[in-house]
Amino acid sequence: MDQEIIDKYQLVVGLEVHAQLLTQTKIFNSDENEYGALPNTNVGVITLGHPGTMPLLNENVMGQAVKMGLACSCSISEYNIFDRKNYFYPDLPKGYQITQDRTPICVGGRVVIYKKNGEEHAIQLNRIHVEEDAGKSIHLDGEADTLVDFNRAGVPLIEIVSEPDIRSSEEAHAFLMEVRKLVRYLDVCDGNMEEGSMRCDANISVMLKGAKEYGKKVEVKNMNSLKNVQRAIDHEFLRQVEALENGETIISETRTFNAQDGTTSGMRAKEELNDYRYFPDPDLSPFIVTEDWLNTIKANMPALPRELYNKYMTDYRLPAYDAQVLTESKEMAFYFEAVCAHTKNFKAASNIIMGPVKSYLNEHNLSITNLSIQPEQIAEIIALVDGNKLSFSVASQKLFPAMLEKPNQKAETLAEALHLLHDGDVASIETAVDAVLAEFPDKVAQYQKGKKGLLGMFMGQVKKKTQGKADPKITNELLIKKLG
Amino acid sequence: MKIDNKTLEGMAHLSRLNLDQKDVEELKKDMSEILDWVEKLDEVDTEGVAPLTTMSHEINAVREDKTKPHLSHEKALKNAPKKDSDYFRVPKVLD
């Protein structure tokens, strides 16, 4: 299709993100909430919807939902009831899913993403509500039956529903990255899209630019990675534009994403009558958010990535790139925070973490929580560099790897034992300087004729001769003096 | 309230029931009568009364997030009409 034609249209996307909460137990009973258990081993009578059983709300579920709501500046609903969403499916033993239709625990709010130019952009939320997950149906090729595992039935979810506020697939990607970062910082969900603990459905429509009304929306499911969400949106945008250009009408339908070829295809519209007949679940009593309870949650909120990002930019004067990388994960940010409790040279702390620390972790596929070197030891390294006892390159290339081997030693002790510290002994540096000058008589002559830029080359040679140990300040002074 | 054919078909679909055509007229009549009877409630003035969502007066009936013993795997599967050693088995439902 012609880019000119494509450019006439505006993409409009709203996302629904389901996040499985990191609780010990399910939302309405005490069965384990555990990923990867053997099939149908975390199932009790309530999970299986046996007659006469009554649900009882897990308080921690409401607390975790509220944490996410506070992080997204939502207003928290004081009065909460639960609704039954009725539909027939074998992975839903009761015949209904318990959800919050009328009184979502969190209303409104926003998720702030960053545009390419670093500008903040808020994606408005409609709501965050709690609900129960369904079981898992397994359809195997050549198998006459569908197999059902109810371990997941009743696992608590929050559903984060955005307004149709997203205008490109890149924005959708950034939104999901930010949501994932938030749930991980808050410890409410592990954010693993591949394992399905965080899932995303996208409502996608197109309209002519400047149009007042949105086009008919299509719901796309089955995208199990951030990349696939972006691919599905890109594909769906072009598909809808092409259909409209061909004079077709877009029908509201649910489509499934095929990861192999990046296309979407319509699911059979068997649920024409998608009438969920929501009504309040009479088995559950209202949940009232009290001020005390809310204040306790507020008091225990961890630092959020955006707060830390702004702090690193404003208070620590770090470049946006550093602030971004350091706040990517909570573990990284908290480690950096711990280093900064022991040093005031924030940029040096950032350089060490983003340089040797990060490349070591990447190389060995480790998390910073596995790092054997303690934050205060990183601060010790910085102090050595700042005190001019060690160059940054020797610190990162020699001292850091040595400390990984011997994490119990003080940085200075180890540097000394390995003869890494700058040699401040004028006599020995002088020997090295003399040797270098004797080695390059022609360069010395050029320098004396005015080619002062050669000083760096002499410095480098002395450094090489002394394995980087010669104190650069003394070396510099000696060279200038001797070269006249 | 009169139940028409479309409403009846819709309800049959939602209940996954196959209706026998010879029962349609009788079902429509019965269901209409049931609704007429319930409509009696419309006579009550509920202006300003919040909907009742539960029969209990309890609020914040919650439990701690702690696991408790539940059915064993074998017991959980025991009453299933069709199963194997791991799973409940149901007629294929893939679209």
Side-chain angles (χ1 to χ4, degrees):
Chain A
M1 232 181 328
D2 224 359
Q3 191 60 40
E4 216 171 291
I5 295 171
I6 297 171
D7 287 344
K8 289 196 305 187
Y9 290 90
Q10 174 62 56
L11 170 73
V12 177
V13 178
L15 296 177
E16 295 168 10
V17 182
H18 285 93
Q20 285 181 342
L21 298 178
L22 290 169
T23 55
Q24 296 296 309
T25 65
K26 296 190 179 177
I27 180 167
F28 296 120
N29 69 62
S30 312
D31 302 349
E32 296 88 343
N33 169 15
E34 175 191 24
Y35 179 82
L38 289 171
N40 294 303
T41 50
N42 294 335
V43 291
V45 288
I46 296 176
T47 294
L48 294 175
H50 282 209
T53 56
M54 293 275 273
L56 189 55
L57 178 64
N58 179 346
E59 188 174 17
N60 190 15
V61 168
M62 302 312 274
Q64 294 201 2
V66 166
K67 263 161 76 173
M68 187 60 181
L70 291 172
C72 298
S73 322
C74 304
S75 49
I76 306 301
S77 304
E78 192 191 335
Y79 181 77
N80 288 272
I81 57 165
F82 298 89
D83 299 278
R84 292 184 179 181
K85 177 183 181 180
N86 298 278
Y87 64 94
F88 260 127
Y89 208 74
D91 59 21
L92 192 74
K94 298 190 298 304
Y96 57 85
Q97 177 193 30
I98 305 177
T99 179
Q100 287 191 298
D101 181 46
R102 281 152 230 245
T103 60
I105 177 87
C106 311
V107 178
R110 67 194 76 90
V111 169
V112 178
I113 60 172
Y114 292 91
K115 293 185 172 178
K116 277 208 186 79
N117 61 10
E119 239 175 75
E120 289 188 356
H121 176 60
I123 304 290
Q124 299 301 320
L125 297 184
N126 175 283
R127 54 152 66 193
I128 302 173
H129 66 258
V130 302
E131 61 185 28
E132 57 179 341
D133 208 343
K136 201 176 167 63
S137 304
I138 301 159
H139 319 279
L140 296 174
D141 278 344
E143 182 71 71
D145 297 323
T146 288
L147 312 180
V148 190
D149 174 9
F150 288 113
N151 283 347
R152 203 180 64 182
V155 164
L157 298 172
I158 49 173
E159 180 173 346
I160 303 149
V161 183
S162 88
E163 294 290 355
D165 216 13
I166 295 165
R167 293 289 176 270
S168 69
S169 65
E170 291 79 20
E171 268 183 30
H173 186 270
F175 174 84
L176 286 171
M177 288 275 282
E178 207 54 39
V179 167
R180 187 171 69 177
K181 209 192 279 182
L182 282 174
V183 295
R184 286 177 173 170
Y185 264 75
L186 295 168
D187 264 330
V188 302
C189 171
D190 65 21
N192 190 330
M193 288 191 78
E194 283 74 18
E195 285 180 0
S197 62
M198 191 172 120
R199 308 192 284 270
C200 172
D201 300 335
N203 292 306
I204 306 167
S205 67
V206 301
M207 61 180 182
L208 283 172
K209 279 182 182 158
K212 295 260 183 305
E213 243 176 81
Y214 294 143
K216 273 263 191 304
K217 70 176 183 195
V218 167
E219 183 175 11
V220 180
K221 291 180 177 293
N222 194 29
M223 304 160 289
N224 62 351
S225 71
L226 286 170
K227 199 172 141 236
N228 282 346
V229 173
Q230 207 173 341
R231 285 171 75 203
I233 293 172
D234 286 336
H235 170 81
E236 194 55 26
F237 175 58
L238 291 179
R239 187 190 71 84
Q240 291 183 22
V241 167
E242 198 164 351
L244 291 174
E245 284 293 313
N246 291 339
E248 297 164 32
T249 45
I250 305 293
I251 48 165
S252 278
E253 61 174 342
T254 304
R255 296 177 73 85
T256 177
F257 176 70
N258 316 306
Q260 281 84 10
D261 59 4
T263 64
T264 64
S265 47
M267 292 160 91
R268 208 193 305 156
K270 63 168 183 140
E271 279 296 326
E272 286 292 320
L273 287 152
N274 229 348
D275 179 1
Y276 292 126
R277 293 152 292 148
Y278 287 98
F279 67 89
D281 190 327
D283 289 347
L284 286 156
S285 64
F287 181 77
I288 312 260
V289 173
T290 63
E291 214 175 303
D292 278 355
W293 186 78
L294 189 57
N295 285 338
T296 313
I297 293 175
K298 280 182 184 164
N300 289 308
M301 288 286 282
L304 296 174
R306 208 158 66 86
E307 291 165 13
L308 293 176
Y309 179 88
N310 289 335
K311 172 176 156 188
Y312 298 164
M313 298 265 285
T314 321
D315 300 352
Y316 290 4
R317 309 235 160 243
L318 295 182
Y321 178 74
D322 293 39
Q324 152 71 29
V325 173
L326 291 168
T327 54
E328 242 162 46
S329 79
K330 176 178 68 176
E331 290 75 18
M332 184 75 80
F334 287 10
Y335 191 91
F336 176 67
E337 289 279 290
V339 175
C340 291
H342 298 277
T343 179
K344 290 285 158 271
N345 193 343
F346 309 124
K347 182 59 186 148
S350 168
N351 287 346
I352 291 195
I353 291 178
M354 303 209 323
V357 172
K358 206 154 186 280
S359 50
Y360 167 77
L361 295 174
N362 287 346
E363 206 175 303
H364 296 83
N365 205 9
L366 289 173
S367 155
I368 198 155
T369 47
N370 306 122
L371 193 67
S372 53
I373 301 179
Q374 298 307 306
E376 48 267 49
Q377 292 176 290
I378 299 285
E380 287 170 20
I381 301 180
I382 295 167
L384 289 177
V385 176
D386 284 353
N388 216 10
K389 293 183 171 167
L390 196 67
S391 71
F392 181 80
S393 63
V394 171
S396 56
Q397 285 162 25
K398 296 202 174 130
L399 181 54
F400 177 74
M403 284 175 78
L404 287 168
E405 300 286 321
K406 294 180 176 163
N408 298 321
Q409 289 209 28
K410 280 208 153 295
E412 184 156 18
T413 318
L414 194 56
E416 205 166 3
L418 295 167
H419 308 292
L420 296 177
L421 292 180
H422 281 156
D423 192 346
D425 176 11
V426 181
S428 73
I429 298 174
E430 195 166 8
T431 317
V433 167
D434 288 340
V436 167
L437 296 184
E439 207 176 318
F440 299 99
D442 48 336
K443 302 276 188 224
V444 172
Q446 285 174 22
Y447 178 92
Q448 283 160 348
K449 277 186 198 143
K451 213 169 169 191
K452 302 290 181 203
L454 283 169
L455 187 64
M457 170 264 171
F458 291 122
M459 286 285 292
Q461 287 300 319
V462 175
K463 201 174 158 194
K464 201 169 146 194
K465 229 176 210 27
T466 59
Q467 278 108 46
K469 288 191 309 184
D471 184 301
K473 204 162 153 253
I474 298 171
T475 312
N476 194 46
E477 281 164 9
L478 281 173
L479 275 168
I480 289 174
K481 198 174 96 192
K482 285 184 185 281
L483 285 162
Chain B
M1 188 183 158
K2 271 266 168 276
I3 294 283
D4 57 16
N5 281 5
K6 197 166 167 253
T7 312
L8 187 70
E9 276 163 28
M11 289 203 283
H13 169 77
L14 290 171
S15 319
R16 301 298 186 272
L17 292 174
N18 282 318
L19 285 190
D20 210 326
Q21 279 311 307
K22 69 176 173 30
D23 297 332
V24 165
E25 286 311 313
E26 203 185 329
L27 276 167
K28 267 161 58 181
K29 186 169 152 281
D30 283 354
M31 291 176 78
S32 298
E33 275 174 24
I34 293 168
L35 286 178
D36 287 344
W37 184 73
V38 175
E39 265 167 20
K40 187 88 182 138
L41 289 172
D42 288 348
E43 291 169 22
V44 183
D45 181 9
T46 55
E47 188 69 35
V49 179
L52 182 72
T53 61
T54 171
M55 297 302 288
S56 154
H57 289 289
E58 214 173 7
I59 55 160
N60 292 10
V62 292
R63 64 178 173 79
E64 240 189 301
D65 187 18
K66 280 201 176 128
T67 56
K68 281 190 187 153
H70 52 73
L71 292 179
S72 67
H73 174 69
E74 290 70 27
K75 273 197 169 159
L77 285 165
K78 191 169 166 244
N79 292 328
K82 198 168 180 190
K83 65 202 164 201
D84 59 31
S85 55
D86 293 322
Y87 295 100
F88 292 84
R89 286 179 165 258
V90 298
K92 198 139 200 162
V93 288
L94 189 61
D95 289 326

